């Protein structure tokens, strides 16, 4: 039976440490979340980010904008947030309405307040191995692995999914050169393979993984036949499946068939309670680093020394 990598427990302790570090440093990190329209799922994500900020003693500003806002008006709001000293992080909740150019919106955020780590400048820094904000989900996965004592160095890591949000930045993070001249202290030096919907014979690739990361958005797609015995499995997927026995009429499942894969894997992240809570925690961490002007330092050793 696999060890469970508990994202809730790690998140809780990291958030306490973030709150304490904030208190000791005497800063009030400020995060502005910008939500366009009233999509219920997006509104619920924004609410959980706001709540997490407030609990950690941060200042959180909840900016709500109408669905029919123009590109120019939205970019103007972002620029005003960029300019405010008490705001250290500016986050635009995605997806945006179809008439909005998302890339231009992401680029309008000041790279030094881009606590989501999506700005081309920060993605470029990640690509080059320079320091900058890391995208929160890949950052959270790296922290989960390192806190579970699972080194990726020299391991075969297979990532299924190549999105800009998860798969691609995670691949760069785990591939990064570690040590003198390298950027990160403990999460790089892996041999990384990235799969996608055109990958031929997916199982033959995933069976070679020491660490398998599933970020596909396909409910319970990955079964035990795709996982090597003793492998570490990180399930990023968050999928709603109908379930009439639940009050809401659905339940959340990952991309992995948890019951059978946990019989075969060496370690596994559950859904919910694995990667999900870590994403918001790393957002808090990035915002704290921004408020302290420390975002350009080694993010993982920072998390380890100050918060972990
Ligand atoms: P995207 O839809 O942007 O990307 C999905 C990726 O999976 C694509 O690269 C796609 O390939 C690949 N894929 C889809 N089907 C298959 C298949 N049958 N075989 C191989 N590859 C496949 O999703 P995201 O990256 O945004 O999100 C992935 C999942 O992670 C979702 O469930 C999402 O809800 C969840 N998520 C969870 C977060 C968390 O905090 N835990 C944060 C962000 C996302 P192709 O490129 O060829 O289309």
């Amino acid at each position: 039976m696999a060890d469970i990598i508990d994202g809730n427990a790690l998140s809780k302790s990291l958030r306490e440490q973030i709150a304490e570090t904030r208190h000791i440093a005497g800063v009030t990190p400020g995060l502005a979340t910008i939500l366009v329209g009233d999509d219920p799922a997006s509104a619920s994500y924004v609410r959980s980010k706001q709540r997490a900020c407030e609990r950690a003693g941060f200042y959180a500003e909840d900016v709500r904008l109408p669905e029919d806002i123009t590109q120019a008006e939205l970019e103007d709001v972002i620029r005003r947030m960029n300019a405010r000293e008490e705001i250290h992080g500016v986050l635009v909740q995605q997806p945006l309405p179809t008439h909005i150019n998302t890339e231009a919106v992401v680029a309008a955020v000041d790279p030094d307040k881009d606590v989501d780590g999506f700005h081309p400048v920060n993605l470029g820094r990640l690509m080059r191995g320079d320091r900058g904000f890391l995208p929160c989900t890949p950052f959270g996965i790296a922290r989960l692995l390192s806190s579970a004592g699972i080194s990726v160095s020299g391991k075969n890591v297979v990532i299924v999914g190549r999105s800009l949000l998860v798969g691609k930045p995670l691949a760069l993070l785990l591939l990064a050169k570690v040590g003198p001249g390298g950027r990160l202290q403990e999460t790089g030096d892996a041999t990384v393979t990235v799969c996608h919907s055109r990958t031929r014979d997916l199982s033959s690739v995933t069976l070679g993984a020491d660490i398998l990361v599933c970020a596909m958005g396909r409910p319970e797609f990955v079964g035990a036949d795709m996982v090597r015995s003793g492998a570490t499995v990180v399930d990023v997927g968050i999928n709603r499946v109908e379930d009439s026995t639940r009050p809401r009429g659905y339940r959340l499942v990952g991309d992995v068939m948890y019951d059978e894969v946990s019989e075969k894997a060496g370690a596994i992240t559950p859904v919910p309670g694995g990667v999900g809570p870590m994403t918001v925690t790393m957002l808090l961490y990035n915002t704290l680093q921004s408020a302290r002007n420390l975002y350009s330092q080694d993010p993982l050793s920072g998390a380890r020394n100050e918060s972990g």
Side-chain angles (χ1 to χ4, degrees), residues 137 161-163 165 196-197 215-218 221 236-239 276 279:
T137 301
R162 58 175 162 182
S163 73
L165 208 66
H196 46 80
S197 65
M216 310 155 75
R218 297 270 180 268
F221 185 95
V236 188
I238 300 178
N239 309 292
T279 298

Side-chain angles (χ1 to χ4, degrees), residues 71-198:
Q71 182 84 27
E73 287 167 339
L74 175 54
E75 290 184 23
D76 193 49
V77 171
I78 294 169
R79 271 190 289 274
R80 273 188 275 130
M81 292 295 153
N82 286 342
R84 282 179 44 195
E85 269 180 27
E86 75 278 24
I87 300 288
H88 306 96
V90 178
L91 178 156
V92 185
Q93 185 65 39
Q94 294 188 31
L96 289 164
T98 48
H99 70 279
I100 296 287
N101 177 341
T102 300
E103 277 171 43
V105 166
V106 170
V109 174
D110 180 344
D112 292 342
K113 296 191 176 183
D114 170 42
V115 286
D116 250 345
F118 293 155
H119 192 286
V121 166
N122 283 312
L123 290 175
R125 286 170 175 156
L126 175 58
M127 178 79 168
R128 288 174 49 85
D130 294 340
R131 290 167 183 174
F133 291 115
L134 292 174
C136 300
T137 301
F139 193 7
I141 293 168
R143 275 298 269 156
L144 263 182
L145 290 172
S146 67
S147 79
I150 299 166
S151 164
V152 301
S153 178
K155 303 262 179 71
N156 286 332
V157 176
V158 175
I159 301 169
V160 190
R162 58 175 162 182
S163 73
L164 209 50
L165 208 66
V166 187
K168 268 191 215 169
L170 180 66
L172 291 170
L173 189 55
L174 302 186
L175 186 64
K177 190 172 171 61
V178 170
R183 174 175 184 259
L184 300 170
Q185 298 307 307
E186 55 183 73
T187 42
D189 283 344
T191 303
V192 181
T193 306
V194 183
C195 301
H196 46 80
S197 65
R198 306 300 291 267

Side-chain angles (χ1 to χ4, degrees), residues 190-212:
T191 303
V192 181
T193 306
V194 183
C195 301
H196 46 80
S197 65
R198 306 300 291 267
T199 298
R200 254 185 291 145
D201 195 3
L202 184 62
S203 302
S204 71
V205 186
T206 59
L207 281 168
D210 302 309
I211 298 170
L212 175 62

